Amino acid sequence: NGVVPKDRPALLITGNSVHSSSWFAQNSGAVYEGGSLYWAEDDLESETLIYNAGRVSSERYTRYTKDDNGNNDFFRVSNTTVWLANIGITGWGKRAEINGFEVSDFQNRAIFVLFKVWMNSVVINCRSSNAHHVPDPGSGSNEKLFNNGKSWSGFFTYDHLMKHILTNWAVSNCGGVARGLSPWVEGGEEDTGNSGFVTIPINGLAPEVQLVSSGMTYDWDSLGGEEFVNESIFFAASGADGIYSMQYQSNWEDYDGSWTNRVSATNTSTVMGPARAGYWWHLDSRPGKCDL
């Protein structure tokens, strides 16, 4: 009938809720955007569409979201609630807008996305008052993370191909007590420093900007106070120290200081990155090469 699925405009996706899903795999999300839907190029007789859920870069295979005029547009998800899921929302789509997203009691990560994404009005409640009643869903390595306070991250970034804008997030119940770790909980296990509320692959950093954030708020009482942003459970790094991926743009600017709680009268922004990522941000390490 002439309909090409990948060229059709996206429908209005709003007001949905998802729970008790995506717990069986490492990177599966309760909400997912991306992938491709196509006919095999060398199979002219087939009437069966092929779906690839992974990252696909070819425009012929990738389902680029279109507007009513056939122009490239953003895939939009709004007013969505997720709980008891492996990852709240993840995606390998080309461009997306997530507006009004609330996630609680996730197993692995609250959010893990790729490419151009604007995430606005996001609420992350890492562990609700019901969390301690929730058993692990299985015995597999990815199914035993929920009750392991050393393993989960609130926002896990990719190592490259990120162009994200994060605005107006609210964070609660993500501190050491929610994780059940020592010294916040007597008798708890020690934190490894590998899975913070924010976790950035160290091999994904270069002296540019890939993420920018503003308008972040914290429920300090549920996080153990403002010292939360200086603790190992707030900011962590993963990956190999000696490998650097610099494709597209890289790094993170806390535009108004609200993410790192470094708001100042001069409105000075903060660039964020794990210390063991290298020396590129030590501007005095190469005299004459990094002068502004």
Side-chain angles (χ1 to χ4, degrees):
N1 60 8
V3 174
V4 180
K6 73 179 182 66
D7 293 336
R8 296 300 300 161
L11 301 177
L12 179 64
I13 304 175
T14 186
N16 295 288
S17 62
V18 186
H19 68 88
S20 308
S21 68
S22 70
W23 46 264
F24 45 83
Q26 181 178 2
N27 291 321
S28 57
V31 178
Y32 173 79
E33 52 88 12
S36 59
L37 188 64
Y38 59 93
W39 281 280
E41 192 169 20
D42 58 353
D43 187 0
L44 302 180
E45 304 301 324
S46 175
E47 296 182 358
T48 302
L49 283 166
I50 298 172
Y51 176 63
N52 183 338
R55 186 178 78 204
V56 183
S57 59
S58 168
E59 185 163 2
R60 192 185 87 79
Y61 292 135
T62 301
R63 182 169 179 162
Y64 287 4
T65 305
K66 307 287 184 177
D67 61 18
D68 291 332
N69 297 316
N71 300 315
N72 288 337
D73 198 5
F74 279 76
F75 179 83
R76 295 179 174 88
V77 179
S78 61
N79 303 321
T80 304
T81 302
V82 174
W83 69 99
L84 291 179
N86 181 49
I87 301 177
I89 186 167
T90 185
W92 277 350
K94 199 66 174 179
R95 59 187 69 83
E97 291 180 3
I98 303 166
N99 190 15
F101 186 80
E102 181 175 353
V103 56
S104 301
D105 295 340
F106 53 88
Q107 177 176 265
N108 191 351
R109 304 160 185 169
I111 296 175
F112 178 47
V113 292
L114 189 61
F115 294 114
K116 297 179 181 178
V117 186
W118 175 38
M119 291 166 275
N120 179 56
S121 189
V122 172
V123 175
I124 297 179
N125 181 27
C126 292
R127 290 295 181 266
S128 72
S129 59
N130 293 318
H132 66 283
H133 297 297
V134 179
D136 289 329
S139 58
S141 59
N142 295 316
E143 301 168 351
K144 297 186 295 184
L145 301 180
F146 186 85
N147 291 298
N148 184 349
K150 299 181 295 183
S151 298
W152 49 264
S153 301
F155 180 58
F156 192 102
T157 72
Y158 211 71
D159 60 353
H160 67 299
L161 298 175
M162 292 185 298
K163 298 180 180 180
H164 301 344
I165 299 173
L166 290 63
T167 53
N168 306 314
W169 288 31
V171 177
S172 62
N173 294 302
C174 299
V177 173
R179 291 178 179 268
L181 299 178
S182 175
W184 303 277
V185 174
E186 185 177 357
E189 294 188 72
E190 295 289 335
D191 179 38
T192 62
N194 294 325
S195 297
F197 173 72
V198 178
T199 302
I200 293 181
I202 58 174
N203 57 347
L205 298 178
E208 300 176 46
V209 172
Q210 65 181 355
L211 300 124
V212 62
S213 59
S214 68
M216 306 302 164
T217 59
Y218 296 99
D219 179 4
W220 296 119
D221 289 342
S222 73
L223 298 168
E226 295 188 26
E227 188 61 21
F228 170 67
V229 298
N230 297 315
E231 295 169 337
S232 62
I233 54 174
F234 174 72
F235 197 88
S238 67
D241 297 39
I243 303 174
Y244 299 91
S245 176
M246 299 183 183
Q247 188 175 7
Y248 285 38
Q249 300 178 347
S250 301
N251 231 310
W252 187 329
E253 179 184 0
D254 179 14
Y255 180 76
D256 60 355
S258 60
W259 191 287
T260 54
N261 199 32
R262 298 179 65 180
V263 179
S264 66
T266 59
N267 294 319
T268 302
S269 63
T270 298
V271 175
M272 299 179 359
R276 61 188 177 103
Y279 281 95
W280 64 259
W281 52 18
H282 294 263
L283 299 184
D284 59 350
S285 67
R286 294 190 301 159
K289 300 294 185 179
C290 301
D291 297 339
L292 300 177

